[in-house]
Amino acid sequence: MTPHAAQANTTGRAPLGASYWKLWASSGLSNLADGVFKIALPLLAIQLTQSPVLIAGLSVAATLPWLLFALIAGALADRLDRRKLMVWANLGRAVLPALLVGAILLGWGSLWALYVVALTVGVAETLYDTSAQSILPQVVHRDQLSRANGRLYGVELITNQFIGPPLGGLLVALGVVAAFAMPAALWLVAAGGLIMIRGSFRTEREHKTTLRFDIGEGLRFLRDHRILRTLAVMTGVFNFASSAAFAVLVLFAVGPASPMGLSATSFGLFLTTSAVGAFVGSIIAERVEARLGRSASLTVAIVGVALFVGAPAITDNPYVLGPIFFVGGMLIVLWNVITVSLRQRITPDNLLGRVNSAYRLLAWGTMPLGATAGGLLAQWLGLQVMFAIMGLLTLALLGLMPVLTNKAITAADIQP
């Protein structure tokens, strides 16, 4: 534990500290790069193909590392200095878009080149995100985690979804070089911000163990913890459904022949509605959690996200979908603040990287499967039928809420 975390008092309202705010600023820059990059990729891809399966393939490539590499990333986060892992991950992500620009300028640009870059950026993302969630209890006191996570989600979502998408759409309109040079520069600056954080963020290890043993220990902890296991499965279903929907949303929204008929720039602006909602959610999540209780808050989030995913099945009007996306973004953050803070509080620090990665194997490993399903269902049944299926699938998660009573959650939330 760093000196800042050790000295913080337990009121939950103590200052979050300089190290936290450096982490916060770096996270904002890194997520702005993500937001630009992830909107630029599909907008470039639809210039090469109109196939729902091939477009969805980009989401598959970007999220596949969570299925293949997450457990290794977690073990590394518990073995190595978490801050240094985040630095190297961002440096790697800075290089990859630059290589893509070079390939395009040399005439080697193709859909397959986009797949390769999406996949390798995704590998770096597994290292960065696993380390980022695991480092937080070393930076702030555990009683401050809901507030600290709320502030982080605020800057991450407003940069990733509010500023990033319209900026990405504008940069694509200006040219490929601008669209991919910007995220490369932002990831580089974000790495520099992390270097400024002082202290060691390597966890203590009593015995030498193999990587396989470390991974198994994290998996067993998650398997044996009913609350965390249930939340991981539920988040996996959330992400399956949302990945299916958003993998092909660009086909539903962009172009004169699409149901919504938006331009690339307008599509980026449309996506900011959920980002604004997410920002509002990051501010109010701690208070909503305290007012409604965690169980009721999670129930509300399920209903809201089901509408968020399924609404394009019933309307293509952006003025109707916009408010729905706003509420959906707000409730997604509420879910994340509650579940991530709970996981960070009840997991021993020396296991947190591995438990985070095991959790995300279930919770995020479903994303490439969802993107694949979304592309196939959209191809076979049509876009709106696919949105309806995913909305109903999300709503079915209400059947697991009897496991997540306030009494059960409170019993699990024991301060280490």
Side-chain angles (χ1 to χ4, degrees):
M1 180 176 289
T2 61
H4 174 80
Q7 293 172 7
N9 67 38
T10 58
T11 64
R13 303 306 301 180
L16 293 171
S19 292
Y20 172 80
W21 290 112
K22 290 173 185 176
L23 180 68
W24 180 90
S26 178
S27 179
L29 291 169
S30 184
N31 277 274
L32 179 57
D34 283 340
V36 172
F37 184 75
K38 290 178 180 178
I39 199 72
L41 272 181
L43 289 176
L44 180 58
I46 62 173
Q47 298 176 26
L48 303 172
T49 180
Q50 288 290 305
S51 166
V53 173
L54 293 178
I55 293 295
L58 272 179
S59 292
V60 174
T63 55
L64 190 60
W66 286 107
L67 193 59
L68 302 180
F69 192 67
L71 295 178
I72 296 173
L76 292 175
D78 284 343
R79 283 172 169 253
L80 305 175
D81 188 298
R82 290 163 177 168
R83 178 182 62 87
K84 291 179 181 178
L85 273 177
M86 294 166 69
V87 170
W88 283 110
N90 269 350
L91 291 176
R93 290 194 287 186
V95 169
L96 291 163
L99 293 176
L100 178 60
V101 169
I104 291 171
L105 292 177
L106 290 171
W108 298 340
S110 67
L111 193 62
W112 300 110
L114 299 187
Y115 285 170
V116 170
V117 172
L119 180 67
T120 48
V121 167
V123 170
E125 185 179 47
T126 62
L127 283 170
Y128 179 90
D129 284 1
T130 300
S131 300
Q133 283 201 346
S134 304
I135 201 174
L136 194 58
Q138 296 174 289
V139 177
V140 302
H141 194 276
R142 289 177 182 258
D143 284 348
Q144 298 174 307
L145 285 170
S146 288
R147 179 156 51 107
N149 277 312
R151 302 296 182 270
L152 273 174
Y153 275 116
V155 71
E156 288 172 3
L157 289 161
I158 202 167
T159 52
N160 195 301
Q161 297 182 29
F162 181 65
I163 302 174
L167 179 59
L170 175 62
L171 290 170
V172 168
L174 294 176
V176 171
V177 173
F180 294 107
M182 177 64 78
L186 288 168
W187 274 318
L188 189 62
V189 176
L194 289 168
I195 292 171
M196 295 172 62
I197 299 175
R198 297 179 179 179
S200 172
F201 296 91
R202 184 193 294 264
T203 59
E204 295 181 6
R205 296 172 60 84
E206 295 181 1
H207 308 288
K208 269 193 169 183
T209 55
T210 65
L211 200 65
R212 181 178 179 180
F213 177 87
D214 287 352
I215 291 171
E217 192 175 18
L219 287 169
R220 286 190 295 274
F221 185 93
L222 181 62
R223 179 198 65 193
D224 296 339
H225 202 293
R226 190 184 188 202
I227 295 294
L228 290 184
R229 184 178 69 242
T230 302
L231 287 171
V233 170
M234 294 174 78
T235 306
V237 174
F238 266 148
N239 287 334
F240 179 92
S242 62
S243 292
F246 281 88
V248 293
L249 183 63
V250 66
L251 293 173
F252 184 77
V254 178
S258 68
M260 292 182 71
L262 301 178
S263 67
T265 302
S266 297
F267 178 57
L269 290 171
F270 169 74
L271 292 180
T272 62
T273 56
S274 63
V276 174
F279 180 69
V280 172
S282 73
I283 296 172
I284 67 172
E286 187 181 14
R287 282 175 284 177
V288 172
E289 177 184 343
R291 178 68 63 88
L292 296 182
R294 285 178 284 195
S295 183
S297 297
L298 295 174
T299 299
V300 170
I302 291 171
V303 175
V305 175
L307 182 60
F308 176 61
V309 172
I314 55 177
T315 180
D316 57 17
N317 187 331
Y319 297 104
V320 175
L321 289 173
I324 292 173
F325 274 44
F326 173 88
V327 174
M330 184 170 60
L331 294 177
I332 287 171
V333 171
L334 177 63
W335 176 277
N336 285 338
V337 168
I338 292 172
T339 58
V340 171
S341 300
L342 180 64
R343 186 166 78 248
Q344 290 169 335
R345 278 196 294 266
I346 66 181
T347 305
D349 191 51
N350 66 336
L351 271 172
L352 188 53
R354 285 166 284 167
V355 172
N356 276 335
S357 66
Y359 186 100
R360 285 189 166 197
L361 178 66
L362 291 174
W364 288 39
T366 58
M367 292 192 296
L369 304 178
T372 301
L376 292 173
L377 289 172
Q379 186 88 43
W380 296 337
L381 303 176
L383 288 166
Q384 290 183 295
V385 174
M386 184 275 299
F387 290 130
I389 291 171
M390 296 306 156
L392 292 172
L393 177 63
T394 304
L395 197 62
L397 290 174
L398 291 173
L400 290 176
M401 280 309 298
V403 176
L404 301 175
T405 63
N406 280 327
K407 182 178 179 181
I409 294 173
T410 301
D413 190 3
I414 301 171
Q415 297 293 327

PDB file of all heavy atoms in Angstrom, residues 121-152:
ATOM      1  N   VAL A 121      -4.426  -3.701 -30.126  1.00  0.00           N
ATOM      2  CA  VAL A 121      -4.823  -2.660 -29.175  1.00  0.00           C
ATOM      3  C   VAL A 121      -5.643  -3.269 -28.043  1.00  0.00           C
ATOM      4  O   VAL A 121      -5.511  -2.886 -26.877  1.00  0.00           O
ATOM      5  CB  VAL A 121      -5.616  -1.544 -29.889  1.00  0.00           C
ATOM      6  CG1 VAL A 121      -6.297  -0.619 -28.872  1.00  0.00           C
ATOM      7  CG2 VAL A 121      -4.689  -0.720 -30.770  1.00  0.00           C
ATOM      8  N   GLY A 122      -6.468  -4.266 -28.385  1.00  0.00           N
ATOM      9  CA  GLY A 122      -7.263  -4.944 -27.360  1.00  0.00           C
ATOM     10  C   GLY A 122      -6.407  -5.684 -26.349  1.00  0.00           C
ATOM     11  O   GLY A 122      -6.725  -5.709 -25.151  1.00  0.00           O
ATOM     12  N   VAL A 123      -5.302  -6.290 -26.791  1.00  0.00           N
ATOM     13  CA  VAL A 123      -4.398  -6.964 -25.858  1.00  0.00           C
ATOM     14  C   VAL A 123      -3.816  -5.953 -24.872  1.00  0.00           C
ATOM     15  O   VAL A 123      -3.774  -6.189 -23.656  1.00  0.00           O
ATOM     16  CB  VAL A 123      -3.266  -7.688 -26.621  1.00  0.00           C
ATOM     17  CG1 VAL A 123      -2.200  -8.188 -25.656  1.00  0.00           C
ATOM     18  CG2 VAL A 123      -3.829  -8.857 -27.422  1.00  0.00           C
ATOM     19  N   ALA A 124      -3.360  -4.803 -25.392  1.00  0.00           N
ATOM     20  CA  ALA A 124      -2.826  -3.763 -24.510  1.00  0.00           C
ATOM     21  C   ALA A 124      -3.902  -3.255 -23.551  1.00  0.00           C
ATOM     22  O   ALA A 124      -3.614  -2.942 -22.388  1.00  0.00           O
ATOM     23  CB  ALA A 124      -2.274  -2.615 -25.349  1.00  0.00           C
ATOM     24  N   GLU A 125      -5.132  -3.194 -24.020  1.00  0.00           N
ATOM     25  CA  GLU A 125      -6.233  -2.717 -23.177  1.00  0.00           C
ATOM     26  C   GLU A 125      -6.483  -3.653 -21.999  1.00  0.00           C
ATOM     27  O   GLU A 125      -6.794  -3.196 -20.897  1.00  0.00           O
ATOM     28  CB  GLU A 125      -7.501  -2.573 -24.014  1.00  0.00           C
ATOM     29  CG  GLU A 125      -8.670  -1.969 -23.250  1.00  0.00           C
ATOM     30  CD  GLU A 125      -9.905  -1.826 -24.120  1.00  0.00           C
ATOM     31  OE1 GLU A 125     -10.263  -2.799 -24.819  1.00  0.00           O
ATOM     32  OE2 GLU A 125     -10.501  -0.736 -24.098  1.00  0.00           O
ATOM     33  N   THR A 126      -6.338  -4.972 -22.214  1.00  0.00           N
ATOM     34  CA  THR A 126      -6.551  -5.896 -21.097  1.00  0.00           C
ATOM     35  C   THR A 126      -5.531  -5.649 -19.990  1.00  0.00           C
ATOM     36  O   THR A 126      -5.870  -5.678 -18.805  1.00  0.00           O
ATOM     37  CB  THR A 126      -6.452  -7.371 -21.548  1.00  0.00           C
ATOM     38  OG1 THR A 126      -5.154  -7.650 -22.042  1.00  0.00           O
ATOM     39  CG2 THR A 126      -7.491  -7.694 -22.587  1.00  0.00           C
ATOM     40  N   LEU A 127      -4.286  -5.389 -20.355  1.00  0.00           N
ATOM     41  CA  LEU A 127      -3.253  -5.083 -19.365  1.00  0.00           C
ATOM     42  C   LEU A 127      -3.548  -3.767 -18.656  1.00  0.00           C
ATOM     43  O   LEU A 127      -3.453  -3.668 -17.433  1.00  0.00           O
ATOM     44  CB  LEU A 127      -1.880  -5.008 -20.038  1.00  0.00           C
ATOM     45  CG  LEU A 127      -1.214  -6.331 -20.391  1.00  0.00           C
ATOM     46  CD1 LEU A 127       0.005  -6.084 -21.263  1.00  0.00           C
ATOM     47  CD2 LEU A 127      -0.823  -7.087 -19.130  1.00  0.00           C
ATOM     48  N   TYR A 128      -3.914  -2.742 -19.438  1.00  0.00           N
ATOM     49  CA  TYR A 128      -4.153  -1.424 -18.862  1.00  0.00           C
ATOM     50  C   TYR A 128      -5.357  -1.442 -17.926  1.00  0.00           C
ATOM     51  O   TYR A 128      -5.280  -0.993 -16.782  1.00  0.00           O
ATOM     52  CB  TYR A 128      -4.366  -0.395 -19.975  1.00  0.00           C
ATOM     53  CG  TYR A 128      -4.631   0.995 -19.438  1.00  0.00           C
ATOM     54  CD1 TYR A 128      -3.589   1.875 -19.194  1.00  0.00           C
ATOM     55  CD2 TYR A 128      -5.930   1.417 -19.149  1.00  0.00           C
ATOM     56  CE1 TYR A 128      -3.824   3.144 -18.679  1.00  0.00           C
ATOM     57  CE2 TYR A 128      -6.174   2.678 -18.639  1.00  0.00           C
ATOM     58  CZ  TYR A 128      -5.119   3.533 -18.407  1.00  0.00           C
ATOM     59  OH  TYR A 128      -5.372   4.786 -17.879  1.00  0.00           O
ATOM     60  N   ASP A 129      -6.483  -1.948 -18.406  1.00  0.00           N
ATOM     61  CA  ASP A 129      -7.716  -1.872 -17.620  1.00  0.00           C
ATOM     62  C   ASP A 129      -7.657  -2.740 -16.366  1.00  0.00           C
ATOM     63  O   ASP A 129      -8.161  -2.351 -15.312  1.00  0.00           O
ATOM     64  CB  ASP A 129      -8.913  -2.273 -18.480  1.00  0.00           C
ATOM     65  CG  ASP A 129      -9.328  -1.185 -19.457  1.00  0.00           C
ATOM     66  OD1 ASP A 129      -8.674  -0.124 -19.475  1.00  0.00           O
ATOM     67  OD2 ASP A 129     -10.296  -1.384 -20.208  1.00  0.00           O
ATOM     68  N   THR A 130      -7.072  -3.945 -16.478  1.00  0.00           N
ATOM     69  CA  THR A 130      -6.951  -4.804 -15.299  1.00  0.00           C
ATOM     70  C   THR A 130      -6.072  -4.141 -14.244  1.00  0.00           C
ATOM     71  O   THR A 130      -6.403  -4.129 -13.053  1.00  0.00           O
ATOM     72  CB  THR A 130      -6.364  -6.170 -15.690  1.00  0.00           C
ATOM     73  OG1 THR A 130      -7.227  -6.796 -16.635  1.00  0.00           O
ATOM     74  CG2 THR A 130      -6.242  -7.071 -14.466  1.00  0.00           C
ATOM     75  N   SER A 131      -4.964  -3.565 -14.660  1.00  0.00           N
ATOM     76  CA  SER A 131      -4.074  -2.875 -13.722  1.00  0.00           C
ATOM     77  C   SER A 131      -4.733  -1.623 -13.153  1.00  0.00           C
ATOM     78  O   SER A 131      -4.573  -1.315 -11.970  1.00  0.00           O
ATOM     79  CB  SER A 131      -2.759  -2.504 -14.422  1.00  0.00           C
ATOM     80  OG  SER A 131      -2.091  -3.647 -14.895  1.00  0.00           O
ATOM     81  N   ALA A 132      -5.503  -0.902 -13.985  1.00  0.00           N
ATOM     82  CA  ALA A 132      -6.138   0.335 -13.539  1.00  0.00           C
ATOM     83  C   ALA A 132      -7.170   0.068 -12.448  1.00  0.00           C
ATOM     84  O   ALA A 132      -7.266   0.821 -11.465  1.00  0.00           O
ATOM     85  CB  ALA A 132      -6.787   1.048 -14.723  1.00  0.00           C
ATOM     86  N   GLN A 133      -7.973  -0.979 -12.579  1.00  0.00           N
ATOM     87  CA  GLN A 133      -8.944  -1.293 -11.537  1.00  0.00           C
ATOM     88  C   GLN A 133      -8.274  -1.852 -10.291  1.00  0.00           C
ATOM     89  O   GLN A 133      -8.748  -1.647  -9.179  1.00  0.00           O
ATOM     90  CB  GLN A 133      -9.983  -2.288 -12.053  1.00  0.00           C
ATOM     91  CG  GLN A 133     -11.019  -1.660 -12.946  1.00  0.00           C
ATOM     92  CD  GLN A 133     -12.298  -2.471 -13.037  1.00  0.00           C
ATOM     93  OE1 GLN A 133     -12.345  -3.635 -12.639  1.00  0.00           O
ATOM     94  NE2 GLN A 133     -13.351  -1.867 -13.553  1.00  0.00           N
ATOM     95  N   SER A 134      -7.146  -2.530 -10.479  1.00  0.00           N
ATOM     96  CA  SER A 134      -6.459  -3.151  -9.341  1.00  0.00           C
ATOM     97  C   SER A 134      -5.627  -2.157  -8.549  1.00  0.00           C
ATOM     98  O   SER A 134      -5.385  -2.349  -7.352  1.00  0.00           O
ATOM     99  CB  SER A 134      -5.562  -4.290  -9.838  1.00  0.00           C
ATOM    100  OG  SER A 134      -6.304  -5.242 -10.569  1.00  0.00           O
ATOM    101  N   ILE A 135      -5.171  -1.089  -9.170  1.00  0.00           N
ATOM    102  CA  ILE A 135      -4.292  -0.127  -8.503  1.00  0.00           C
ATOM    103  C   ILE A 135      -5.059   0.812  -7.576  1.00  0.00           C
ATOM    104  O   ILE A 135      -4.492   1.365  -6.632  1.00  0.00           O
ATOM    105  CB  ILE A 135      -3.501   0.690  -9.551  1.00  0.00           C
ATOM    106  CG1 ILE A 135      -2.243   1.304  -8.924  1.00  0.00           C
ATOM    107  CG2 ILE A 135      -4.347   1.778 -10.183  1.00  0.00           C
ATOM    108  CD1 ILE A 135      -1.343   2.004  -9.942  1.00  0.00           C
ATOM    109  N   LEU A 136      -6.363   0.985  -7.820  1.00  0.00           N
ATOM    110  CA  LEU A 136      -7.097   2.031  -7.105  1.00  0.00           C
ATOM    111  C   LEU A 136      -7.091   1.860  -5.589  1.00  0.00           C
ATOM    112  O   LEU A 136      -6.899   2.839  -4.859  1.00  0.00           O
ATOM    113  CB  LEU A 136      -8.532   2.131  -7.641  1.00  0.00           C
ATOM    114  CG  LEU A 136      -9.306   3.384  -7.231  1.00  0.00           C
ATOM    115  CD1 LEU A 136      -8.582   4.652  -7.665  1.00  0.00           C
ATOM    116  CD2 LEU A 136     -10.705   3.358  -7.813  1.00  0.00           C
ATOM    117  N   PRO A 137      -7.289   0.647  -5.036  1.00  0.00           N
ATOM    118  CA  PRO A 137      -7.222   0.525  -3.572  1.00  0.00           C
ATOM    119  C   PRO A 137      -5.833   0.799  -2.997  1.00  0.00           C
ATOM    120  O   PRO A 137      -5.694   0.951  -1.781  1.00  0.00           O
ATOM    121  CB  PRO A 137      -7.635  -0.943  -3.327  1.00  0.00           C
ATOM    122  CG  PRO A 137      -8.426  -1.327  -4.528  1.00  0.00           C
ATOM    123  CD  PRO A 137      -7.766  -0.599  -5.657  1.00  0.00           C
ATOM    124  N   GLN A 138      -4.804   0.857  -3.842  1.00  0.00           N
ATOM    125  CA  GLN A 138      -3.474   1.241  -3.398  1.00  0.00           C
ATOM    126  C   GLN A 138      -3.287   2.753  -3.412  1.00  0.00           C
ATOM    127  O   GLN A 138      -2.317   3.261  -2.860  1.00  0.00           O
ATOM    128  CB  GLN A 138      -2.407   0.593  -4.294  1.00  0.00           C
ATOM    129  CG  GLN A 138      -2.383  -0.931  -4.230  1.00  0.00           C
ATOM    130  CD  GLN A 138      -1.422  -1.505  -5.248  1.00  0.00           C
ATOM    131  OE1 GLN A 138      -1.668  -1.469  -6.452  1.00  0.00           O
ATOM    132  NE2 GLN A 138      -0.309  -2.036  -4.765  1.00  0.00           N
ATOM    133  N   VAL A 139      -4.211   3.458  -4.041  1.00  0.00           N
ATOM    134  CA  VAL A 139      -4.100   4.910  -4.196  1.00  0.00           C
ATOM    135  C   VAL A 139      -5.010   5.646  -3.220  1.00  0.00           C
ATOM    136  O   VAL A 139      -4.649   6.701  -2.697  1.00  0.00           O
ATOM    137  CB  VAL A 139      -4.421   5.312  -5.653  1.00  0.00           C
ATOM    138  CG1 VAL A 139      -4.399   6.822  -5.831  1.00  0.00           C
ATOM    139  CG2 VAL A 139      -3.415   4.666  -6.613  1.00  0.00           C
ATOM    140  N   VAL A 140      -6.208   5.112  -2.958  1.00  0.00           N
ATOM    141  CA  VAL A 140      -7.146   5.726  -2.011  1.00  0.00           C
ATOM    142  C   VAL A 140      -7.566   4.689  -0.975  1.00  0.00           C
ATOM    143  O   VAL A 140      -7.397   3.485  -1.179  1.00  0.00           O
ATOM    144  CB  VAL A 140      -8.401   6.284  -2.735  1.00  0.00           C
ATOM    145  CG1 VAL A 140      -8.022   7.301  -3.790  1.00  0.00           C
ATOM    146  CG2 VAL A 140      -9.233   5.164  -3.347  1.00  0.00           C
ATOM    147  N   HIS A 141      -8.115   5.185   0.126  1.00  0.00           N
ATOM    148  CA  HIS A 141      -8.613   4.278   1.154  1.00  0.00           C
ATOM    149  C   HIS A 141      -9.849   3.558   0.631  1.00  0.00           C
ATOM    150  O   HIS A 141     -10.620   4.084  -0.174  1.00  0.00           O
ATOM    151  CB  HIS A 141      -8.966   5.058   2.419  1.00  0.00           C
ATOM    152  CG  HIS A 141      -9.169   4.173   3.618  1.00  0.00           C
ATOM    153  ND1 HIS A 141     -10.362   3.545   3.881  1.00  0.00           N
ATOM    154  CD2 HIS A 141      -8.317   3.799   4.607  1.00  0.00           C
ATOM    155  CE1 HIS A 141     -10.247   2.833   4.991  1.00  0.00           C
ATOM    156  NE2 HIS A 141      -9.019   2.966   5.448  1.00  0.00           N
ATOM    157  N   ARG A 142     -10.056   2.338   1.105  1.00  0.00           N
ATOM    158  CA  ARG A 142     -11.169   1.522   0.594  1.00  0.00           C
ATOM    159  C   ARG A 142     -12.530   2.142   0.878  1.00  0.00           C
ATOM    160  O   ARG A 142     -13.478   1.907   0.128  1.00  0.00           O
ATOM    161  CB  ARG A 142     -11.072   0.096   1.157  1.00  0.00           C
ATOM    162  CG  ARG A 142      -9.897  -0.662   0.547  1.00  0.00           C
ATOM    163  CD  ARG A 142      -9.714  -2.056   1.139  1.00  0.00           C
ATOM    164  NE  ARG A 142      -8.546  -2.701   0.548  1.00  0.00           N
ATOM    165  CZ  ARG A 142      -8.587  -3.628  -0.414  1.00  0.00           C
ATOM    166  NH1 ARG A 142      -9.747  -4.030  -0.881  1.00  0.00           N
ATOM    167  NH2 ARG A 142      -7.483  -4.151  -0.902  1.00  0.00           N
ATOM    168  N   ASP A 143     -12.666   2.931   1.933  1.00  0.00           N
ATOM    169  CA  ASP A 143     -13.931   3.598   2.194  1.00  0.00           C
ATOM    170  C   ASP A 143     -14.219   4.709   1.182  1.00  0.00           C
ATOM    171  O   ASP A 143     -15.336   5.227   1.128  1.00  0.00           O
ATOM    172  CB  ASP A 143     -13.939   4.194   3.600  1.00  0.00           C
ATOM    173  CG  ASP A 143     -14.130   3.137   4.677  1.00  0.00           C
ATOM    174  OD1 ASP A 143     -14.480   2.000   4.322  1.00  0.00           O
ATOM    175  OD2 ASP A 143     -13.919   3.446   5.860  1.00  0.00           O
ATOM    176  N   GLN A 144     -13.213   5.096   0.409  1.00  0.00           N
ATOM    177  CA  GLN A 144     -13.383   6.153  -0.590  1.00  0.00           C
ATOM    178  C   GLN A 144     -13.626   5.602  -1.994  1.00  0.00           C
ATOM    179  O   GLN A 144     -13.718   6.369  -2.940  1.00  0.00           O
ATOM    180  CB  GLN A 144     -12.118   7.032  -0.614  1.00  0.00           C
ATOM    181  CG  GLN A 144     -11.834   7.754   0.695  1.00  0.00           C
ATOM    182  CD  GLN A 144     -10.494   8.483   0.631  1.00  0.00           C
ATOM    183  OE1 GLN A 144      -9.473   7.888   0.299  1.00  0.00           O
ATOM    184  NE2 GLN A 144     -10.498   9.760   0.930  1.00  0.00           N
ATOM    185  N   LEU A 145     -13.730   4.278  -2.122  1.00  0.00           N
ATOM    186  CA  LEU A 145     -13.740   3.681  -3.450  1.00  0.00           C
ATOM    187  C   LEU A 145     -14.959   4.067  -4.282  1.00  0.00           C
ATOM    188  O   LEU A 145     -14.835   4.281  -5.492  1.00  0.00           O
ATOM    189  CB  LEU A 145     -13.627   2.158  -3.343  1.00  0.00           C
ATOM    190  CG  LEU A 145     -12.230   1.641  -3.000  1.00  0.00           C
ATOM    191  CD1 LEU A 145     -12.259   0.154  -2.670  1.00  0.00           C
ATOM    192  CD2 LEU A 145     -11.269   1.897  -4.160  1.00  0.00           C
ATOM    193  N   SER A 146     -16.137   4.153  -3.676  1.00  0.00           N
ATOM    194  CA  SER A 146     -17.315   4.536  -4.466  1.00  0.00           C
ATOM    195  C   SER A 146     -17.144   5.933  -5.049  1.00  0.00           C
ATOM    196  O   SER A 146     -17.443   6.172  -6.233  1.00  0.00           O
ATOM    197  CB  SER A 146     -18.579   4.483  -3.604  1.00  0.00           C
ATOM    198  OG  SER A 146     -18.950   3.150  -3.335  1.00  0.00           O
ATOM    199  N   ARG A 147     -16.642   6.863  -4.222  1.00  0.00           N
ATOM    200  CA  ARG A 147     -16.424   8.230  -4.710  1.00  0.00           C
ATOM    201  C   ARG A 147     -15.314   8.255  -5.766  1.00  0.00           C
ATOM    202  O   ARG A 147     -15.452   8.895  -6.805  1.00  0.00           O
ATOM    203  CB  ARG A 147     -16.066   9.149  -3.536  1.00  0.00           C
ATOM    204  CG  ARG A 147     -15.794  10.589  -3.932  1.00  0.00           C
ATOM    205  CD  ARG A 147     -16.013  11.547  -2.765  1.00  0.00           C
ATOM    206  NE  ARG A 147     -15.301  11.121  -1.584  1.00  0.00           N
ATOM    207  CZ  ARG A 147     -14.190  11.733  -1.100  1.00  0.00           C
ATOM    208  NH1 ARG A 147     -13.691  12.770  -1.736  1.00  0.00           N
ATOM    209  NH2 ARG A 147     -13.625  11.313   0.007  1.00  0.00           N
ATOM    210  N   ALA A 148     -14.210   7.557  -5.485  1.00  0.00           N
ATOM    211  CA  ALA A 148     -13.090   7.555  -6.425  1.00  0.00           C
ATOM    212  C   ALA A 148     -13.492   6.912  -7.754  1.00  0.00           C
ATOM    213  O   ALA A 148     -13.152   7.418  -8.831  1.00  0.00           O
ATOM    214  CB  ALA A 148     -11.907   6.807  -5.812  1.00  0.00           C
ATOM    215  N   ASN A 149     -14.229   5.794  -7.701  1.00  0.00           N
ATOM    216  CA  ASN A 149     -14.695   5.156  -8.933  1.00  0.00           C
ATOM    217  C   ASN A 149     -15.676   6.045  -9.686  1.00  0.00           C
ATOM    218  O   ASN A 149     -15.660   6.106 -10.920  1.00  0.00           O
ATOM    219  CB  ASN A 149     -15.340   3.804  -8.616  1.00  0.00           C
ATOM    220  CG  ASN A 149     -14.323   2.689  -8.477  1.00  0.00           C
ATOM    221  OD1 ASN A 149     -13.452   2.537  -9.320  1.00  0.00           O
ATOM    222  ND2 ASN A 149     -14.429   1.910  -7.410  1.00  0.00           N
ATOM    223  N   GLY A 150     -16.548   6.724  -8.948  1.00  0.00           N
ATOM    224  CA  GLY A 150     -17.492   7.625  -9.598  1.00  0.00           C
ATOM    225  C   GLY A 150     -16.788   8.724 -10.369  1.00  0.00           C
ATOM    226  O   GLY A 150     -17.144   9.031 -11.517  1.00  0.00           O
ATOM    227  N   ARG A 151     -15.759   9.342  -9.760  1.00  0.00           N
ATOM    228  CA  ARG A 151     -15.006  10.396 -10.442  1.00  0.00           C
ATOM    229  C   ARG A 151     -14.269   9.831 -11.657  1.00  0.00           C
ATOM    230  O   ARG A 151     -14.206  10.468 -12.714  1.00  0.00           O
ATOM    231  CB  ARG A 151     -13.999  11.036  -9.489  1.00  0.00           C
ATOM    232  CG  ARG A 151     -14.594  11.649  -8.228  1.00  0.00           C
ATOM    233  CD  ARG A 151     -15.516  12.820  -8.521  1.00  0.00           C
ATOM    234  NE  ARG A 151     -16.013  13.406  -7.289  1.00  0.00           N
ATOM    235  CZ  ARG A 151     -17.118  13.042  -6.656  1.00  0.00           C
ATOM    236  NH1 ARG A 151     -17.847  12.052  -7.158  1.00  0.00           N
ATOM    237  NH2 ARG A 151     -17.495  13.636  -5.546  1.00  0.00           N
ATOM    238  N   LEU A 152     -13.695   8.630 -11.500  1.00  0.00           N
ATOM    239  CA  LEU A 152     -12.999   8.013 -12.633  1.00  0.00           C
ATOM    240  C   LEU A 152     -13.957   7.700 -13.773  1.00  0.00           C
ATOM    241  O   LEU A 152     -13.656   7.970 -14.947  1.00  0.00           O
ATOM    242  CB  LEU A 152     -12.294   6.732 -12.184  1.00  0.00           C
ATOM    243  CG  LEU A 152     -10.885   6.880 -11.619  1.00  0.00           C
ATOM    244  CD1 LEU A 152     -10.388   5.541 -11.086  1.00  0.00           C
ATOM    245  CD2 LEU A 152      -9.927   7.410 -12.680  1.00  0.00           C
TER     246      LEU A 152
END
